[in-house]
């Protein structure tokens, strides 16, 4: 078994174990809906066993970056249909990563200019990117009321149903990288004293309720969940990451989802590198392996050799590639033939058009 061998995910056989990691590209249209260029980009990458889309807000409060495509209006559902049709025509499988940024937002994104939502009124240190691409200091968020929580959980369920209407094969709950479910999980942010704060059983409640809402909407066999136990992106910290994530991984595994996606990356943005951050030891996927009964996907700085090593050791069942898949639409063919990889251009990660998006070269066709 290697990275090019098939894998069963949620009752469906995928043609290889090279997954496209979710990558925000900030290229939606002015209605925050996907369009033809986005469909071409995903279609180009359809030979990867599973495409996990860029993070996609479940409601208007879930946005925190310019031009990110949502999944809560009819125009967005129709835009995503262009994408899923294109990927399916090319024989691919595609899950939508469902997102709520929580405090990683600004009043400029929020309905009626309100403060962004967070489990507690704990601002983060870094600046926020505004809709017009300028930067501003992160505002103090509003601690969510129980009504805010119920409403948001309902919106996860609605987004799951919209994902099916849009033709997705499944959804990935974005529980990683310091966004809303992760803000609930970690005690560096969550200072609540009610049923959603304090002991880990309470801090995990929001993520598990969101996952249950998605199981109700799409079924467990169409649900993946992404976690980042080693991540410090978005000013995140936890006093005991092994215990925190050990608990949530076991509870999610009990739901028998399509897969769990546990990234080893410390920063979600490859620009910041993957050097160990002092005081925060990365936890390898192998630590969680014995707790995970469903397929386990991992990610973070993988080469072909490292990917096959992880699969052979049984530390993961498939590997998600971010930067390499952005720069190499035919990553699978390059792995198959041992061809060199294109170099990525990080200046075109976020925003813009075709450049650095749909114009990365394919290998010449030799047969
Ligand atoms: C441009 C860019 C956008 C990203 N957007 C997302 C995202 O929307 N959701 C997410 O969970 N991770 C996101 N990430 C993190 C990647 O999924 C991945 O974890 C990271 O790039 C490390 O994997 P790699 O070494 O294979 O690139 C992004 C990374 C990059 C470089």
């Amino acid at each position: 078994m290697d990275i090019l061998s098939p894998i069963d995910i949620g009752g469906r056989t995928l043609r290889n174990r090279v997954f496209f990691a979710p990558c925000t590209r900030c290229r939606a249209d002015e209605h925050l809906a996907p369009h033809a260029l986005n469909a071409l980009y995903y279609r180009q990458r359809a030979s990867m066993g599973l495409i996990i889309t860029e993070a996609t807000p479940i409601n208007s409060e879930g946005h925190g970056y310019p031009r990110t495509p949502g999944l809560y209006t009819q125009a967005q559902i129709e835009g995503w249909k262009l994408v899923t049709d294109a990927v399916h025509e090319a024989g691919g499988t595609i899950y939508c990563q469902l997102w709520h940024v929580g405090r990683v937002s600004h009043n400029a994104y929020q309905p009626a200019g309100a403060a962004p939502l967070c489990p507690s009124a704990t601002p983060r240190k870094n600046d926020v990117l505004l809709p017009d691409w300028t930067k501003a200091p992160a505002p103090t968020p509003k601690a969510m009321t129980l009504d805010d929580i119920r409403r948001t959980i309902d919106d996860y369920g609605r987004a799951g149903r919209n994902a099916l209407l849009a033709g997705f094969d499944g959804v990935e709950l974005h529980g990683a990288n310091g966004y809303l479910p992760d803000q609930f999980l970690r005690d560096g942010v969550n200072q609540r004293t009610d049923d959603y704060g304090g002991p880990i059983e309470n801090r995990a409640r929001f993520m598990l309720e969101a996952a249950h809402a998605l199981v109700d909407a799409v079924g467990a066999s169409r649900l993946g969940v992404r976690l980042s136990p080693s991540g410090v992106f978005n000013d995140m910290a936890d006093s005991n990451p092994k215990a925190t994530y050990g608990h949530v991984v076991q509870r999610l595994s009990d739901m028998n989802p399509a897969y769990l996606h546990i990234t080893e990356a410390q920063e979600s943005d490859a620009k910041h590198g993957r050097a160990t951050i002092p005081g925060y030891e990365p936890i390898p996927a192998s630590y969680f392996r014995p707790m995970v009964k469903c397929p386990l996907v991992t990610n973070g700085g993988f080469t072909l050799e490292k990917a096959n090593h992880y699969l052979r050791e049984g530390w993961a069942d498939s590997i998600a590639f971010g930067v390499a898949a952005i720069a190499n639409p035919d990553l699978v063919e390059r792995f198959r033939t041992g061809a060199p990889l294109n170099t990525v251009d990080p200046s075109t990660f976020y925003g813009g058009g075709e450049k650095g998006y749909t114009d990365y070269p394919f290998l010449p066709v030799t047969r």
Side-chain angles (χ1 to χ4, degrees):
M1 186 255 284
D2 69 6
I3 191 86
L4 297 176
S5 60
I7 179 169
D8 284 343
I9 293 285
R12 170 191 290 255
T13 304
L14 308 181
R15 42 194 178 182
N16 57 63
R17 295 162 192 255
V18 181
F19 288 7
F20 184 11
C23 285
T24 291
R25 306 303 308 274
C26 301
R27 282 167 168 88
D29 71 12
E30 66 276 22
H31 305 296
L32 306 179
H35 51 102
L37 184 67
N38 311 126
L40 173 62
Y41 164 77
Y42 282 112
R43 183 197 185 102
Q44 289 179 335
R45 288 156 180 78
S47 60
M48 299 182 209
L50 179 66
I51 292 174
I52 306 160
T53 68
E54 63 209 273
T56 299
I58 57 163
N59 59 22
S60 54
E61 295 166 332
H63 286 269
Y65 298 84
R67 292 287 179 127
T68 49
L71 191 46
Y72 52 88
T73 69
Q74 193 54 35
Q76 291 165 347
I77 294 172
E78 281 160 23
W80 278 118
K81 191 93 179 69
L82 298 176
V83 173
T84 59
D85 282 348
V87 169
H88 291 149
E89 267 168 36
T93 302
I94 181 165
Y95 274 38
C96 186
Q97 191 187 47
L98 297 180
W99 198 22
H100 192 306
V101 302
R103 68 174 184 167
V104 188
S105 185
H106 189 276
N107 306 57
Y109 287 99
Q110 297 298 314
L117 299 178
C118 185
S120 309
T122 350
R124 75 196 234 286
K125 295 196 196 89
N126 330 57
D127 283 347
V128 182
L129 200 54
L130 298 180
D132 66 1
W133 298 93
T134 59
K135 286 188 174 171
T140 300
K142 174 195 173 199
M144 290 171 82
T145 62
L146 290 179
D147 271 354
D148 291 329
I149 291 177
R150 271 182 219 110
R151 208 164 42 75
T152 306
I153 298 291
D154 285 349
D155 286 344
Y156 276 102
R158 189 167 305 110
R161 291 190 293 278
N162 287 345
L164 295 186
L165 292 175
F168 283 105
D169 300 296
V171 297
E172 178 177 281
L173 170 60
H174 193 346
N177 298 346
Y179 298 111
L180 188 61
D182 205 21
Q183 290 162 26
F184 271 94
L185 205 55
R186 298 205 229 185
D187 60 13
V189 177
N190 184 344
Q191 290 156 17
R192 298 178 75 96
T193 52
D194 63 2
D195 285 352
Y196 291 88
I200 176 55
E201 291 76 13
N202 286 355
R203 281 181 282 127
R205 195 179 307 281
F206 182 88
M207 181 151 346
L208 296 172
E209 286 184 354
H212 277 295
L214 288 170
V215 168
D216 287 346
V218 304
S221 66
R222 292 175 186 268
L223 173 65
V225 183
R226 189 174 217 212
L227 301 170
S228 55
S230 304
V232 292
F233 184 58
N234 282 324
D235 191 20
M236 293 304 286
D238 188 76
S239 59
N240 191 346
K242 280 190 171 168
T244 296
Y245 288 92
H247 173 81
V248 80
V249 162
Q250 291 182 54
R251 294 294 309 277
L252 289 168
S253 175
D254 288 344
M255 294 168 73
N256 199 21
Y259 65 84
L260 289 184
H261 184 173
I262 304 180
T263 178
E264 292 184 345
Q266 287 216 314
E267 295 277 7
S268 85
D269 189 331
K271 275 183 295 191
H272 299 288
R274 267 168 290 276
T276 303
I277 289 159
Y280 210 90
E281 272 308 304
I283 310 171
S286 56
Y287 173 78
F288 296 102
R289 173 82 268 188
M291 308 172 194
V292 178
K293 291 175 284 209
C294 60
L296 174 58
V297 184
T298 194
N299 159 261
F302 278 80
T303 58
L304 173 62
E305 292 69 31
K306 185 175 164 190
N308 279 329
H309 179 62
Y310 267 52
L311 298 182
R312 269 196 305 274
E313 293 292 337
W315 296 334
D317 299 298
S318 69
I319 308 294
F321 296 84
V323 171
I326 287 175
N328 297 275
D330 54 355
L331 186 61
V332 174
E333 189 59 14
R334 287 172 195 263
F335 283 164
R336 198 183 313 277
T337 57
L341 301 189
N342 295 324
T343 311
V344 78
D345 172 10
S347 73
T348 54
F349 275 166
Y350 307 109
E354 295 167 15
K355 187 170 180 306
Y357 191 56
T358 50
D359 66 351
Y360 280 107
F362 284 75
L363 289 171
V365 179
T366 52
R367 56 174 188 274

